[in-house]
Amino acid sequence: MNWEAVIGLEIHVQLATKSKIFSGASTEYGAEPNAQACAVDLGLPGVLPVLNEAAVAMAVKFGLAIGAQINLHSVFDRKNYFYPDLPKGYQISQFETPIVGAGEVNLLLEGGQQRRIGVTRAHLEEDAGKSVHDLFPGQTGIDLNRTGTPLLEVVSEPDMRSAAEAVAYFKKIHALARYLKICDGNLAEGSMRCDANVSIRPVGQDSFGERTEIKNINSFRFVERAINHEIQRQIDVLEHGGKIERETRLYDPDKDETRSMRGKELSADYRYFPDPDLLPLVFTEAFVEDIRAQLPELPEARQQRYCEALALSSYDAAWLSNDPDVANFFDATVAVCSNAKQSANWIMGELAAVLNKADLDITASPVSPQQLGQLITRLDDGTLSSKTAKTLFDALRTDDAEVDVLIETLNLKQMSDSGELESIVDQVMADNPAQLEQLRGGKDKLLGFFVGQVMKLTQGKANPQQVNEIIRSKL
């Protein structure tokens, strides 16, 4: 039987506020365990939560960026469940009346295919603590520093049909959160995590199959692997006459498998009710419009600008605009050299290769956008050849000197003295009489051989176009 996957994601975006959503405790990452959990976070008797306005503003900003309905009236609820890292026995969240309603995200998939993914809602909630299983043999440690950290949970519609689409959607939300500066996007530190709801159904069937939920996946690669494994597991179960149970599963990347954790709770199991300690959240249209005025240029607008104003291809524009740090680096490079295409080529080629090999973010690039822009300028004005430009680029990775100083120091300036080049061409022709005779006889491919020999003798400093013209004139 042909099967179709149906996938929805719940992405937890840890908001970049300095203090927690209902207390003044710090949200800074890396403190000693339990050093940043105050009485409010722990729900000690007599304490009352106070809502962090910065978290509200960040939620509204995200909602505006995805064209979602912003609810001027929303309610905080208590989601009741018992787990060691949830000290109050309930989590303050939003359920039926969230701050952000329906919106959508547009994806550009490989091959140029466009996909629209609906967003059901994005609601504010507090994070739970963290269970640590690998520090004490046979025991679990509880670190409550993360308790009360503000989260924006972005719930998608079940619109994705493959693991690749799910990864593309997760990457889009990740990029958007970083563009908006509402989250640092550090997956390794848990700043963004993802739950994947997966089911399968026969191709052509409208109704959904039973779903499972894979909890707390914190990398793009693991999202793809976990979903692909779960799809295949469900196919195997159904094709062998079994039944899919609604349950929560975890993904084990070491064994590349999902395993059952517990039966899946339904909303009724959480016994939601409005939190009696918090009034309904109410704000005005003026508050929303003030936040709208602060929105930056978003990825799709930036991509369009790169295509229309800078004449980049849609692929290059999408690649460069996906990451705000990469886009800022590109903009700064173009501001120096005024050559968008060359800037794109160097950033997507030479620079990307260096960063990938060293596992560096572009913000830690050993070559600055100013240096790269000056290099491209010297390539454009003929000071550098393509070969000496690469030599200079390699030098810039370890030397912070001015580009023009390095060109002089390393003797990289392109040869343009026609008399000097002519004598070198004469020498190459004299040294290769057989190839010269074939070239004169019409074997034009040998022109490249002679240009290459000249480039070799000049250590790549000759202007290849000028060499080409000299050889042709001598023929």
Side-chain angles (χ1 to χ4, degrees):
M1 182 180 290
N2 290 325
W3 299 95
E4 176 182 61
V6 178
I7 303 160
L9 297 187
E10 299 170 11
I11 298 174
H12 302 264
V13 181
Q14 196 174 89
L15 298 177
T17 57
K18 293 182 179 179
S19 58
K20 296 183 179 179
I21 189 169
F22 297 118
S23 80
S26 173
T27 58
E28 187 174 353
Y29 181 82
E32 287 295 312
N34 299 304
Q36 294 178 177
C38 71
V40 175
D41 305 328
L42 301 177
L44 298 182
V47 299
L48 289 172
V50 178
L51 181 58
N52 186 334
E53 183 178 344
V56 175
M58 289 180 182
V60 171
K61 184 180 287 189
F62 177 83
L64 292 172
I66 63 169
Q69 172 188 343
I70 306 299
N71 294 319
L72 302 181
H73 177 281
S74 60
V75 174
F76 283 99
D77 302 284
R78 288 188 180 181
K79 180 180 180 181
N80 297 273
Y81 66 95
F82 298 95
Y83 209 68
D85 60 16
L86 191 71
K88 295 185 295 207
Y90 63 86
Q91 176 190 32
I92 301 177
S93 182
Q94 293 185 312
F95 184 50
E96 289 187 341
T97 51
I99 186 170
V100 176
E104 64 181 38
V105 169
N106 294 306
L107 304 181
L108 179 64
L109 304 176
E110 287 188 20
Q113 182 187 2
Q114 298 270 356
R115 287 281 280 120
R116 174 201 165 278
I117 306 299
V119 174
T120 309
R121 67 179 187 276
H123 61 262
L124 283 168
E125 63 183 20
E126 60 179 346
D127 208 346
K130 184 178 181 181
S131 298
V132 182
H133 305 291
D134 55 357
L135 288 182
F136 311 102
Q139 294 180 308
T140 294
I142 303 296
D143 181 3
L144 297 176
N145 278 345
R146 201 170 67 186
T147 304
T149 297
L151 294 180
L152 184 68
E153 180 172 340
V154 183
V155 182
S156 81
E157 292 287 324
D159 287 344
M160 289 157 273
R161 296 293 176 262
S162 70
E165 286 186 10
V167 171
Y169 171 76
F170 190 11
K171 286 182 176 179
K172 186 66 178 279
I173 298 296
H174 181 265
L176 195 56
R178 293 181 60 224
Y179 260 91
L180 298 170
K181 297 183 179 179
I182 64 171
C183 177
D184 63 18
N186 192 321
L187 300 177
E189 294 180 359
S191 296
M192 288 185 74
R193 310 187 295 277
C194 170
D195 300 339
N197 291 283
V198 181
S199 66
I200 61 171
R201 64 186 178 187
V203 172
Q205 177 178 302
D206 292 330
S207 58
F208 295 146
E210 188 57 89
R211 75 177 188 271
T212 59
E213 182 180 35
I214 312 169
K215 295 289 284 186
N216 286 332
I217 319 171
N218 68 343
S219 85
F220 302 130
R221 184 162 56 96
F222 290 166
V223 166
E224 186 164 23
R225 287 170 57 182
I227 291 174
N228 277 331
H229 179 276
E230 182 60 16
I231 290 170
Q232 190 56 53
R233 185 193 73 85
Q234 292 189 19
I235 290 173
D236 292 343
V237 168
L238 293 178
E239 290 190 346
H240 286 84
K243 180 183 178 183
I244 302 300
E245 300 291 338
R246 180 172 292 199
E247 61 182 351
T248 298
R249 302 178 69 85
L250 63 82
Y251 175 66
D252 184 338
D254 295 326
K255 295 183 178 180
D256 191 25
E257 65 178 18
T258 63
R259 294 199 298 273
S260 179
M261 292 174 63
R262 57 183 181 269
K264 172 65 178 158
E265 298 92 344
L266 303 178
S267 58
D269 298 322
Y270 291 122
R271 303 184 313 283
Y272 281 97
F273 63 86
D275 191 300
D277 291 336
L278 287 162
L279 290 169
L281 171 59
V282 180
F283 48 81
T284 64
E285 281 285 1
F287 179 78
V288 175
E289 291 307 312
D290 183 56
I291 294 171
R292 192 191 303 276
Q294 301 170 29
L295 287 176
E297 183 183 38
L298 297 176
E300 289 179 8
R302 208 165 199 171
Q303 181 180 340
Q304 185 177 357
R305 174 168 64 84
Y306 288 169
C307 289
E308 294 177 356
L310 301 180
L312 293 184
S313 70
S314 57
Y315 175 83
D316 288 359
W319 196 99
L320 292 164
S321 61
N322 184 58
D323 184 313
D325 292 331
V326 172
N328 291 338
F329 192 103
F330 170 73
D331 286 345
T333 303
V334 174
V336 173
C337 67
S338 302
N339 189 329
K341 182 56 181 172
Q342 280 279 26
S343 298
N345 290 345
W346 279 88
I347 292 169
M348 297 170 66
E350 297 291 331
L351 184 61
V354 167
L355 297 177
N356 289 338
K357 188 174 182 179
D359 194 25
L360 290 175
D361 187 86
I362 199 166
T363 55
S365 170
V367 180
S368 72
Q370 290 73 25
Q371 289 174 318
L372 184 57
Q374 289 164 4
L375 180 154
I376 293 169
T377 299
R378 292 295 168 253
L379 190 57
D380 287 344
D381 67 17
T383 302
L384 296 172
S385 67
S386 58
K387 182 176 176 64
T388 56
K390 289 182 180 179
T391 303
L392 176 61
F393 180 82
D394 288 338
L396 287 169
R397 290 163 53 188
T398 55
D399 195 326
D400 198 31
E402 288 288 327
V403 163
D404 288 339
V405 171
L406 269 181
I407 290 173
E408 292 296 331
T409 304
L410 300 176
N411 192 25
L412 297 177
K413 193 170 182 179
Q414 185 168 244
M415 290 176 59
S416 56
D417 185 312
S418 58
E420 187 179 1
L421 287 176
E422 278 196 39
S423 65
I424 295 173
V425 169
D426 289 340
Q427 179 187 335
V428 170
M429 285 181 167
D431 291 344
N432 299 276
Q435 289 88 341
L436 179 59
E437 191 60 33
Q438 293 178 59
L439 179 59
R440 290 187 187 278
K443 199 170 183 180
D444 291 342
K445 288 184 178 178
L446 280 171
L447 184 63
F449 165 78
F450 282 95
V451 173
Q453 291 300 305
V454 174
M455 297 303 293
K456 185 176 179 181
L457 284 175
T458 60
Q459 298 179 319
K461 289 187 286 185
N463 184 324
Q465 184 178 353
Q466 192 175 359
V467 172
N468 198 303
E469 292 171 355
I470 292 171
I471 294 172
R472 287 183 181 278
S473 69
K474 287 184 176 294
L475 291 175

